[in-house]
Each structure stands twice: as structure tokens, then as C-alpha cells.
Amino acid sequence: MAVYKVRGKMFATLSRVQGIWNMNLKCDPNQAQLFREIYDAVIPGWHMNKKHWNTLLLDGSIPENEIQYMIDHSYMLVVQGLMKTDRQYLALRYSELELYGLSTDRMWHAGGSSLK
């Protein structure tokens, strides 16, 4: 299993289970439920807090821009929860857009910001 972190805090995992790639991503609880209702391939987080994490079954049924949005959203949530000193460190290296994504009024179907 590959684990992706920012400043030591996990925001994503990637693994292959029974031949299917899957990804765990942190998510706002309301959005997590909404994604589960929209996509059959989005299920409550496998081996994670099911309120705050989703598992994406990467079977081709979720549009790529939605997957990118969910990755960006997970990253943003974790960055927002970091200690102030860690956020300041990141702010010296990356733009606010890269760290926090789009404003909350444009978060749904963002499909664009790329985080390094």
C-alpha cells in the first residue's frame, strides 16, 4: 500500500485489492455521503473512519476530474488541520491556491487545481 502524506499527516492511500486499485481519501462528511450517493464506486473508507474517509474503487466509473477534485479536497482538509508552523512552512513554498484549493463556494466539480 502506498501512503501519501503532507508534513507527516496522511491524506491518501493507494492499494490494489483483488485486482482492483482503490484509494482512500479524507472528505468532508457531507460531501463524503454525497459522493457515495452519486457513484457506486465510492464507498465508506475501508479500514478508516467511515464518517471522514471514502474509498474510491478505481474501476473507470468515476470521472477523472472528480477523482482529482477528491484528491485535492483531501489534501486541503489535511493542510487546514496542520499546526500553524507547518502551514507557514508550506506557505513559503506553495501558493494559497495550491495549499487550500478553490474557495468553498466553488468547491463542487472544481476539477482543476493541481497540487504537488
Side-chain angles (χ1 to χ4, degrees):
M1 176 186 328
V3 178
Y4 299 89
K5 298 179 180 182
V6 57
R7 302 300 288 167
K9 299 287 185 176
M10 181 174 61
F11 70 93
T13 67
L14 180 65
S15 61
R16 194 170 184 164
V17 177
Q18 297 179 352
I20 298 175
W21 287 99
N22 64 72
M23 180 177 283
N24 284 332
L25 295 170
K26 190 166 188 157
C27 194
D28 168 80
N30 293 327
Q31 283 193 0
Q33 186 58 43
L34 191 57
F35 280 125
R36 293 172 198 165
E37 292 171 8
I38 294 171
Y39 301 108
D40 290 336
V42 177
I43 60 175
W46 185 64
H47 290 289
M48 307 296 277
N49 178 325
K50 292 169 182 10
K51 181 177 179 182
H52 295 279
W53 288 82
N54 275 341
T55 295
L56 283 61
L57 305 175
L58 302 176
D59 61 4
S61 65
I62 305 170
E64 192 172 318
N65 67 323
E66 291 284 41
I67 294 170
Q68 183 64 52
Y69 167 78
M70 290 184 234
I71 294 168
D72 290 350
H73 179 68
S74 180
Y75 183 94
M76 178 195 67
L77 287 173
V78 172
V79 167
Q80 287 176 337
L82 292 174
M83 292 178 9
K84 184 177 181 179
T85 54
D86 287 328
R87 289 192 316 272
Q88 289 172 334
Y89 171 84
L90 291 170
L92 294 173
R93 296 178 159 224
Y94 303 100
S95 72
E96 192 170 313
L97 177 62
E98 289 174 307
L99 289 177
Y100 301 107
L102 299 174
S103 64
T104 54
D105 61 321
R106 295 191 52 213
M107 286 175 65
W108 188 250
H109 293 285
S113 67
S114 171
L115 300 174
K116 310 281 184 244

